[in-house]
Amino acid sequence: MNYNLDATEAKRLLENTFVRPEQTETLFELYWVFRILDCYDSVQFELLDGGSDVVASWETADSRYVLYHDSTGSSALSFRENLADIDRPSEDGYLFRTVHVLDRWQQIADDFFNITGRDSLWGGRPDIVLERYDGDSPNPNAVFVGEVKYTTNSSYAAQGLRELLEYMAYVRADGEYMEDQDDVLDSKQVTGMLFVDHVKSAVGRTESEITLRQFGDTVSKPL
């Protein structure tokens, strides 16, 4: 990344983009955000004032990129599964009974408490979302999801891995899953990376496409 700033411009950036997170975990997330941005040229930063979750955007000859922090990305994306959107199973089993539990919960919650039970089966908010738009496409053609865990505990890191896999499997663009059924967690349209502090016995890559990065590791272009 090239930084050609004069003293006046540098002073203005420091005054308007200084970040002072309230939690150390947020600072650790931003550390990885900027490590990713270091992989690209001509990055245009956005003001981190709490009014927007867009951190930066940039363009290449063929594509446009937008990076979000602590966000579900653009309005085209959805990290949410609703009861009304799923095909209800007909055979007995865990999923069949789960649907019946949620149906009955909605009914009884309304009867007992005069409130409408939520329709959500699953929902999440990734730490990092990078979207790539090719040509004039209105929807992302590829999405990178980063899950950050500020931890040295392998069990907590493994929890983050599960969250990452859920984000990758369930993400939708314009209402449709981004990954085809035959390519769930193995497609090139949706990729992911788990970022941690230092976890004992951790390796950077397995046979899976999922990559693990620990504090201080190098980061290559995710998309």
Side-chain angles (χ1 to χ4, degrees):
M1 187 181 298
N2 297 319
Y3 299 97
N4 297 316
L5 298 176
D6 60 24
T8 302
E9 181 67 1
K11 182 175 184 296
R12 185 189 68 80
L13 285 174
L14 287 172
E15 289 174 344
N16 290 283
T17 62
F18 178 71
V19 179
R20 187 172 58 187
E22 295 181 358
Q23 297 181 335
T24 304
E25 291 80 2
T26 303
L27 183 61
F28 192 65
E29 293 168 7
L30 291 172
Y31 164 80
W32 289 110
V33 164
F34 286 101
R35 290 299 302 273
I36 292 171
L37 292 175
D38 276 341
C39 299
Y40 296 90
D41 296 320
S42 303
V43 172
Q44 301 294 317
F45 291 92
E46 301 292 334
L47 182 63
L48 299 177
D49 61 353
S52 172
D53 44 16
V54 176
V55 177
S57 60
W58 62 97
E59 295 184 5
T60 63
D62 303 313
S63 303
R64 177 171 59 90
Y65 296 80
V66 185
L67 189 143
Y68 300 81
H69 168 246
D70 188 23
S71 169
T72 55
S74 66
S75 59
L77 292 187
S78 172
F79 291 89
R80 185 180 181 88
E81 288 287 339
N82 293 322
L83 182 61
D85 297 331
I86 68 169
D87 294 327
R88 292 172 175 256
S90 58
E91 296 184 3
D92 193 15
Y94 174 78
L95 294 179
F96 177 87
R97 291 169 183 262
T98 296
V99 169
H100 276 267
V101 167
L102 292 173
D103 281 339
R104 188 62 60 88
W105 171 58
Q106 290 180 331
Q107 174 189 338
I108 297 177
D110 185 36
D111 293 340
F112 281 179
F113 311 114
N114 195 30
I115 61 174
T116 302
R118 293 185 302 171
D119 187 41
S120 177
L121 286 171
W122 172 87
R125 187 181 180 91
D127 296 317
I128 302 171
V129 174
L130 175 60
E131 301 176 1
R132 191 192 75 213
Y133 298 79
D134 298 334
D136 296 326
S137 174
N139 294 323
N141 298 97
V143 170
F144 166 81
V145 181
E147 178 63 20
V148 182
K149 293 299 183 189
Y150 181 53
T151 185
T152 59
N153 183 284
S154 57
S155 296
Y156 188 50
Q159 176 185 328
L161 175 60
R162 175 170 178 168
E163 293 172 7
L164 174 62
L165 294 173
E166 289 175 339
Y167 293 141
M168 295 172 62
Y170 299 143
V171 61
R172 296 173 182 260
D174 198 24
E176 300 294 332
Y177 289 123
M178 288 201 66
E179 293 188 312
D180 292 333
Q181 183 176 359
D182 295 336
D183 295 323
V184 175
L185 301 178
D186 289 316
S187 77
K188 301 301 181 183
Q189 285 72 40
V190 182
T191 55
M193 193 174 295
L194 178 64
F195 302 98
V196 298
D197 188 359
H198 287 286
V199 177
K200 187 177 180 180
S201 301
V203 296
R205 177 180 287 275
T206 65
E207 294 181 359
S208 168
E209 291 297 321
I210 304 299
T211 303
L212 172 69
R213 286 292 177 265
Q214 302 190 71
F215 182 74
D217 286 349
T218 59
V219 176
S220 57
K221 286 184 179 181
L223 292 178

